[in-house]
Structures are given as C-alpha cells and as structure tokens.
Amino acid sequence: MTKAPQLIKHSMKYGEAQSSTGAAEREPGSPYGRKPRKILSRRNIFIYGTLIMVSLYYLLPLYVMVVTSLKGMPEIRIGNIFAPPVEVTFQPWVKAWAEACTGLNCDGLSRGFFNSVKILIPSVILSIAIASVNGYALANWRFKGSETFFAILIVGAFIPYQVMIYPIVILLREIGLYGSLSGLVLVHTIFGMPILTLLFRNYFGSVPQELFKAARVDGAGFWSIYFRIMVPMSLPIFVVAMILQVTGIWNDFLFGVIYTKPDLYPMTVQLNNIVNSTQGVKEYNVNMAATILTGLVPLTIYFLSGKLFVRGIAAGAVKG
Amino acid sequence: MEASISIKNLSLSFGALDVLKDLNLEIGQGEFLVLLGSSGCGKSTLLNCIAGLLDITGGQIFIGGRNVTWEEPSKRGIGMVFQSYALYPQMTVGGNLSFGLKNAGLPKAEIKERVDRAAKVLQIEPLLARKPAALSGGQRQRAAIGRALVRDADVFLFDEPLSNLDAKLRADLRVEIKQLHQKLSNTMIYVTHDQIEAMTLADRIAIMRGGQILQLATPHEIYNRPANKYVADFIGSPTMNFFDGKIEGGDGAQFLTEGHSFPLHGYNFQSGSAVSGPAWLGIRPEHMVSGAEAETAPIRLHGEVELVEPLGSDTLARLTSGGHTLWVRLDGQAEVANGDQITVGFDAARANVFDKNSENRL
Ligand SMILES: Nc1ncnc2c1ncn2[C@@H]1O[C@H](COP(=O)(O)OP(=O)(O)O)[C@@H](O)[C@H]1O
Ligand SMILES: [Mg+2]
C-alpha cells in the first residue's frame, strides 16, 4: 500500500529524500536517518588530547636521542638538546658500531651485536619449540599428574630470578657450560618456559576439542596433530611468543653479565660498558647512537609483526 | 539382525561424576539408531566412548564382532561427524577429506578416487579446493560428512550434526542424511536433542536420561506406547496432557481424577488387566477430538478456551476444564476464540497410564 514507496525513499540520499518527502511526514530539522556526530565534541577533545600527550611523552626522548646522535660534540656543548642538528654527521653512529671502546677492546658494539644474535636465535627457537609442545601436551593430552606439573611450572613463573642466580652458576659450572654462549642459551630457554607454556596451553586449550577429536578419528598421533593441525592454525600465538622472547632476551642484562665472559657479552652489556666507560670525555652523540642501535632489533620486530601481535593477544584474551 | 555394535555394561565416570552407569546396547547391522535426550544426559559421552575418544571406566565395546574396547579411534572402523563441523581450518576441503587416508598410508590414486566419490555423493565437488572459512554452514557440514564417508567405515557416528544450522537447512540435510543411509546402508548412530530429527531418521530411538537408556524402541512404539512418564512427556509437541488421579480396578476399571471419572475400557494394560492404585493418565493433544466427534467419544470433557495458537496446518488450543489445563490440537480451519466453551473427547485406547510411584507404564 502506501508503505512501499516510503521505504524506497528512505534508501535515497539525504538531500533527495528531504526534497521529495511530503511536509506532513517530516518537519525540517526533526531527527531523520543517520545521527550526525560533532567532530569537536568534548569527548573527542578529551580522547585525542590524552592520546597526543601520551605519545609526546614517549616520543620526545626518542626525538632527543636521534637528534643528539646526529650532532657533533661542539654542537652538543651549546646545550640545547631539542634543537635539530645544524650539521648532520653520521660519525657517532660509525664510532658506536665499530670503534667505541669498552674496558677491554675498541671494536664498538658490533661484537656485542653478533654475540646477542648468537644468543637470541637459538634461545628463541628452542624455548618456543619446547614450550609450545609442553602447552599442547598439557592442553590436549591430559596425563596423570598433568595438572600438578602445570601448577609447578606456574609457580616457577613467580620465583624471583635473583633467588636462582647462584644455584644456576653452580649448575652451569658442573655441566661445564659456565661462561659460554650455550650456557646462556640454556638459561634463557629455562626461564622462558613457565610463561610461554602458560601462553601456549591457554591458546591450545581454546582450540575446539572437537577438532582434536576429529584428528584422532582420522588416525593422527601426537606429533601429527601438533604439526599438521595445531601449529598451522596458531600462527598468531607463535608471533606473540616470538616477540615476548626476542624483546626479553635481547634486553636481558642480568643473565648476560653473570653467565658469560667479557668477549661474549651481549649487546646490552656492551652498551653499558661503552656508556659508562670512565676514560676521556663523555661522548653523548656516540652514546645515543649506541643506545638506538641496541634498541633497533626489538623495534624492528614490533614494526614487522605489530598487527599479528595484537591479533594474537586478542585471540588469547577472548578465550582462555 | 546381526549385531554391528554391542555395548556391554559400559560405565564412565569423570572423577566422582558417574556419567554412564552399566549401560547395555545392541545395534543391528545397517541400523539407524538415534540417541535422544535432553542436554547433559550423556549422549555425547556415550558416542565418544564408542569412538574411543574417552577412556571408559568399565565394560566392553564390540564393533563388527571385534572387541575394540582398547583400540585407538582410527582403528575402530568408524567415521564421525561433529556438531561444530571440526574441519581443519588451514586445509582445503579436499585436504580435510584426504587427511585420514594419508595418515592410514593409502596410495595416492586410491585417495583421489575415494575423495572424488565422496564429493560426488555429497555434491561438494566444486568446493574441494576451498578452505572451510569460505563455505556456508550447510556446505561445511557436508564436507564434514564427506570426511567420515571417505573412510569407508562400517559405522557412522553423528554428534548433533545439524544443531548449528538454521531451520530450513536442517530440514534439507536431514533428508540428505536419510537418503545417504538408504544408499550406503552403514550402521549409523545419531545423537540429537531434537525429537523431530529422531522421529524422522531413526529405525530405533534410544531415549536417554541421566546416563541410562529409558526406552529403546521404534519411533512408532516410543510415540504410541512410551515406557514411562518421562518418555511420554519428552516426545511430542505440545507435550502430553497429564491427569493426576487413581485407578479403581477390576472389570470396567475407572480412572478417577479431580472432577472426572474416565472409563478405561479399551486401554491395553501391560499386565493384561487393570491394576488399582495412584496413577497418571496421559493423552496427547492430537489424540483428542472436538466437535461432532467429541460427542460420540467414550470420554468427554467440557472446557473453556483460554489460549489459541493457529499454526496454519492445525490450531492448538489451551483449555481449562475443572482444575485441569489441557492442550488440544484442532483442525487448522476450526474457528475458536478465547472464552469459547467447547467439548473435547478421547478414547482410552489412545491414552497412556503410568504408575504414580515408579512412573512406569501400566
Ligand atoms: N570432560 C568432562 N569432564 C567432566 N564432566 C564432563 C565432561 N564431559 C562431559 N561431562 C559431564 O557429563 C555429562 C554428560 O555430558 P554429555 O555427554 O556431553 O551430554 P549431552 O547429552 O548433552 O551430549 C554432563 O553432566 C557433563 O557436565
Ligand atoms: Mg552433546
């Protein structure tokens, strides 16, 4: 009846509908269609204001670092840390990477960088591989005592590192790995275990049980289900674990300084030795460049996998 | 009938919770058995025990005459379809279908042949290269059925395969499953809480409650001669009308309830003759007659209509009569309105009488 043409009108553009709608049906100015939103509402000002302040708070120090690292020492002595460099120089970066002196040698951060890479790669791979299998077994193959095992592991996550430092020194010495990179890799792998296992167990626990049952009916065993079903559908959580481990291990200072020897020190320890070396003048530009160089690896990882990271966190948060 | 599956004294507990208690069940070769019961009664648990996905606490399971009590799920000769489809999300439909066959180490040519055959039967050939995420609900469930089909299993287990689908698709796939069974003639065990699915698909229905089978019989028998009050109440929509009262026995036994006395002439007592004592009398809404028919019915009631639900094909009316509330199924063309006084009647032969204490059929 009269309803149909009216419906068509509603789907037309706003202006058109207005001109063709009878005056009896709609007075001008009465609410109609999509609700208009004010751009400069109090709410928006508050939200964006806060966001801008917070980002400034985080970005300003970074800005100062980048700017300072590109200045020469005379320019730095003028004292305005916010001023952009008048004369851009990359010399501090070169020095930080290849020439800066620590207590013992003068080949810059590069040595520490390669040490860190040698520590990072096996530690990340090993800890994620073991923890994901642990989590999978705990979530899907409940065995006698699996709950107890899990509880013990979780308690492990809450024991302060400091308590375990000395016992581990003895342990590593006994098995002959004290002061070597493999020893440090082992330490990182073990300390990553509780939190990573928890992460993987919760993620695999949120995968529908029926999927697991279907795979068993299809004759897949423990490893086959793990590699063919679980791993392919868990990419986001592997990325989360990788980010946690890369940043955690790369930023580690304590274990690096305790369990390795000076020529095997990771980048963070090397950085500290450069920045805090007491000989000569303080070269702020070199220090800044060295610091940025050290932070570059976690930063890159964040940029490359940020989206997956957020998705993985969300997936973990919704279920489990 | 040769037994395809027999379950002997099966029991299963989750810790202190006994879900299945000393359950016995024989399923014939090629039979379509439906496990029907309300949520949480142990249907899925029973199915998982048969599939070998749960470690049973006691008893034995035989499939095709072989004792499979301790066998792995993949070695039991079963195919299984789940409510949530449970398709492997990162594999294509073709990959899903062939996964089990690859695990079994079948030659490539044979895998391809079986997958193609199953895809043809289920009309999912154009979907083989797609991932499950790119399928509709109905297509997903077809793919899941296909995964069971390629296994060439003797026994198919379905765990509420249609509950995630909308009403129209559910009806379509129900018909397809029935046709599939007629074509393949495998043994099928089908779990559902939907009585329409149960009635339409089953050769026999097992009604479960609290981990036990209350009645195992054909749909006809379950509907017409429910073994106890729970089954009578569970099957049928709207549910059976019940009168609370007692039987006064001997020849020409009567059922006495508040304000009425119904002669039980024509009722077929289990024991052959009437048993006196407190009892329930149940009569289905569709077994009550109205209008001219009611005038000649052996048992008549007068009541006032208080609610009318026209369904098109027929009309449901709720009456109050004395202290009783009853549903009656009337003809779709019947003209009734709230407040009408009508007469309804029924024949004791269509009624069901249950013992008040044991709730078993008398
Ligand atoms: N893994 C489990 N652990 C403990 N209790 C369970 C488990 N699985 C099912 N149950 C319990 O067993 C009973 C039967 O469950 P189920 O067989 O899934 O019922 P349904 O008939 O709805 O399929 C329910 O009470 C349920 O809570
Ligand atoms: Mg269930």
Side-chain angles (χ1 to χ4, degrees):
Chain A
M1 289 174 289
T2 56
K3 269 278 188 289
Q6 215 173 327
L7 282 175
I8 294 168
K9 247 177 250 165
H10 283 283
S11 68
M12 283 194 275
K13 274 208 212 108
Y14 186 69
E16 245 175 300
Q18 201 167 31
S19 59
S20 62
T21 311
E25 284 176 48
R26 269 188 351 95
E27 314 136 34
S30 72
Y32 172 84
R34 182 183 189 161
K35 189 175 175 183
R37 293 204 194 287
K38 258 195 287 176
I39 293 173
L40 272 179
S41 65
R42 191 183 302 182
R43 183 168 155 268
N44 279 359
I45 292 173
F46 183 75
I47 289 176
Y48 287 102
T50 313
L51 287 176
I52 289 168
M53 299 254 287
V54 172
S55 19
L56 278 182
Y57 180 80
Y58 278 99
L59 285 177
L60 212 58
L62 185 65
Y63 167 79
V64 170
M65 285 175 72
V66 173
V67 168
T68 309
S69 74
L70 295 174
K71 291 175 185 170
M73 273 319 278
E75 211 178 307
I76 290 173
R77 283 197 199 94
I78 298 169
N80 186 352
I81 59 168
F82 294 108
V86 179
E87 210 177 322
V88 175
T89 166
F90 291 99
Q91 186 51 39
W93 289 75
V94 175
K95 183 160 186 204
W97 177 253
E99 295 154 19
C101 292
T102 61
L104 292 170
N105 42 43
C106 282
D107 44 13
L109 272 176
S110 53
R111 175 194 294 267
F113 175 81
F114 290 113
N115 285 340
S116 274
V117 169
K118 277 184 238 163
I119 296 162
L120 184 74
I121 290 175
S123 311
V124 169
I125 293 176
L126 215 61
S127 59
I128 290 180
I130 297 175
S132 62
V133 175
N134 268 353
Y136 159 69
L138 287 170
N140 290 308
W141 298 84
R142 298 278 161 81
F143 49 90
K144 213 175 168 67
S146 61
E147 293 299 311
T148 319
F149 180 77
F150 183 61
I152 292 171
L153 209 64
I154 294 309
V155 169
F158 294 106
I159 297 178
Y161 288 168
Q162 289 80 348
V163 175
M164 293 190 269
I165 287 175
Y166 188 55
I168 288 180
V169 169
I170 298 173
L171 200 90
L172 288 179
R173 197 183 57 205
E174 290 304 313
I175 57 176
L177 290 178
Y178 182 61
S180 71
L181 286 184
S182 337
L184 188 55
V185 167
L186 185 69
V187 170
H188 280 310
T189 307
I190 292 171
F191 277 96
M193 220 34 57
I195 191 71
L196 288 185
T197 303
L198 177 69
L199 188 78
F200 279 106
R201 192 196 87 127
N202 286 354
Y203 188 84
F204 290 135
S206 73
V207 169
Q209 273 294 308
E210 293 195 337
L211 208 58
F212 174 74
K213 289 180 178 172
R216 284 195 63 200
V217 172
D218 269 341
F222 184 92
W223 292 111
S224 178
I225 295 178
Y226 174 75
F227 283 114
R228 310 272 303 278
I229 312 285
M230 293 299 184
V231 173
M233 64 184 291
S234 312
L235 183 66
I237 206 70
F238 275 91
V239 172
V240 170
M242 195 193 72
I243 292 175
L244 285 178
Q245 284 301 84
V246 168
T247 47
I249 294 171
W250 192 268
N251 291 338
D252 162 67
F253 182 87
L254 186 65
F255 295 156
V257 86
I258 294 172
Y259 299 117
T260 53
K261 296 192 290 251
D263 56 336
L264 296 176
Y265 278 159
M267 201 169 184
T268 44
V269 180
Q270 206 92 339
L271 172 68
N272 172 69
N273 291 354
I274 288 172
V275 173
N276 288 339
S277 77
T278 45
Q279 305 143 347
V281 287
K282 275 229 179 296
E283 292 179 294
Y284 291 108
N285 50 1
V286 175
N287 292 351
M288 294 296 181
T291 310
I292 295 173
L293 278 173
T294 310
L296 226 45
V297 167
L299 211 60
T300 319
I301 295 279
Y302 279 134
F303 273 119
L304 292 184
S305 48
K307 211 166 152 190
L308 282 168
F309 183 65
V310 171
R311 214 190 299 160
I313 292 270
V318 175
K319 275 200 146 196
Chain B
M1 222 174 349
E2 185 195 338
S4 165
I5 299 178
S6 50
I7 293 162
K8 295 183 178 154
N9 308 104
L10 177 69
S11 55
L12 182 128
S13 322
F14 292 111
L17 176 71
D18 297 326
V19 178
L20 302 175
K21 295 151 211 146
D22 202 25
L23 188 139
N24 289 286
L25 183 61
E26 295 261 324
I27 303 163
Q29 188 64 48
E31 186 173 2
F32 199 124
L33 182 94
V34 171
L35 298 175
L36 178 64
S38 53
S39 178
C41 70
K43 308 179 297 288
S44 300
T45 305
L46 174 56
L47 207 66
N48 282 321
C49 288
I50 297 172
L53 293 165
L54 283 173
D55 280 334
I56 62 173
T57 319
Q60 286 181 310
I61 299 168
F62 294 83
I63 297 180
R66 199 159 56 95
N67 186 340
V68 296
T69 312
W70 290 345
E71 285 282 10
E72 276 295 300
S74 54
K75 302 265 159 54
R76 296 190 176 204
I78 53 154
M80 192 157 175
V81 179
F82 298 90
Q83 176 177 350
S84 65
Y85 322 126
L87 294 169
Y88 313 124
Q90 73 289 351
M91 296 183 198
T92 62
V93 171
N96 268 279
L97 263 59
S98 55
F99 183 64
L101 304 179
K102 280 184 199 148
N103 286 329
L106 259 60
K108 272 222 169 77
E110 163 129 33
I111 292 179
K112 184 171 173 355
E113 192 206 306
R114 284 209 205 176
V115 169
D116 287 347
R117 180 156 30 104
K120 195 162 174 185
V121 170
L122 295 163
Q123 295 165 352
I124 50 172
E125 289 153 303
L127 310 177
L128 284 180
R130 287 207 213 156
K131 293 263 175 78
L135 303 181
S136 70
Q139 292 170 330
R140 279 181 210 180
Q141 199 49 287
R142 272 203 197 89
I145 294 172
R147 192 171 54 185
L149 211 59
V150 291
R151 298 176 56 77
D152 270 348
D154 306 321
V155 177
F156 278 7
L157 308 175
F158 293 90
D159 193 352
E160 312 216 12
L162 307 182
S163 338
N164 282 5
L165 304 173
D166 60 53
K168 171 88 174 66
L169 259 174
R170 210 180 309 159
D172 291 350
L173 256 126
R174 199 173 68 211
V175 173
E176 280 185 38
I177 289 177
K178 184 150 193 164
Q179 285 172 340
L180 194 68
H181 179 242
Q182 285 163 359
K183 200 173 333 181
L184 303 172
S185 60
N186 310 38
T187 309
M188 293 193 176
I189 307 182
Y190 186 105
V191 164
T192 183
H193 63 260
D194 181 322
Q195 47 170 307
I196 312 249
E197 276 173 31
M199 296 296 282
T200 51
L201 290 171
D203 291 329
R204 282 194 303 165
I205 298 177
I207 306 249
M208 290 186 67
R209 182 197 191 183
Q212 275 162 334
I213 294 177
L214 293 186
Q215 186 172 9
L216 173 61
T218 61
H220 183 84
E221 172 102 7
I222 296 245
Y223 178 79
N224 290 298
R225 295 183 61 82
N228 55 46
K229 184 167 176 267
Y230 179 84
V231 174
D233 200 24
F234 191 79
I235 294 285
S237 171
T239 53
M240 193 181 271
N241 300 302
F242 286 103
F243 296 93
D244 186 354
K246 63 172 192 252
I247 298 174
E248 280 193 355
D251 287 336
Q254 302 256 331
F255 180 82
L256 303 178
T257 181
E258 194 191 335
H260 300 282
S261 121
F262 304 143
L264 290 177
H265 180 72
Y267 181 77
N268 215 344
F269 279 98
Q270 299 281 84
S271 60
S273 63
V275 190
S276 300
W280 295 97
L281 183 137
I283 180 77
R284 297 199 181 278
E286 51 272 33
H287 292 159
M288 303 192 81
V289 291
S290 62
E293 268 183 282
E295 299 302 330
T296 59
I299 299 169
R300 284 182 297 278
L301 294 159
H302 306 284
E304 181 179 322
V305 177
E306 58 166 28
L307 191 78
V308 180
E309 287 189 341
L311 300 177
S313 56
D314 37 37
T315 298
L316 303 176
R318 196 170 78 195
L319 315 181
T320 45
S321 167
H324 309 287
T325 301
L326 351 154
W327 281 96
V328 185
R329 190 184 291 268
L330 305 171
D331 188 82
Q333 309 306 320
E335 298 205 347
V336 284
N338 288 358
D340 285 1
Q341 296 285 337
I342 61 170
T343 301
V344 292
F346 64 92
D347 185 345
R350 312 295 303 261
N352 302 274
V353 183
F354 304 100
D355 185 275
K356 186 81 178 254
N357 297 316
S358 68
E359 303 210 330
N360 286 332
R361 186 180 189 85
L362 288 173

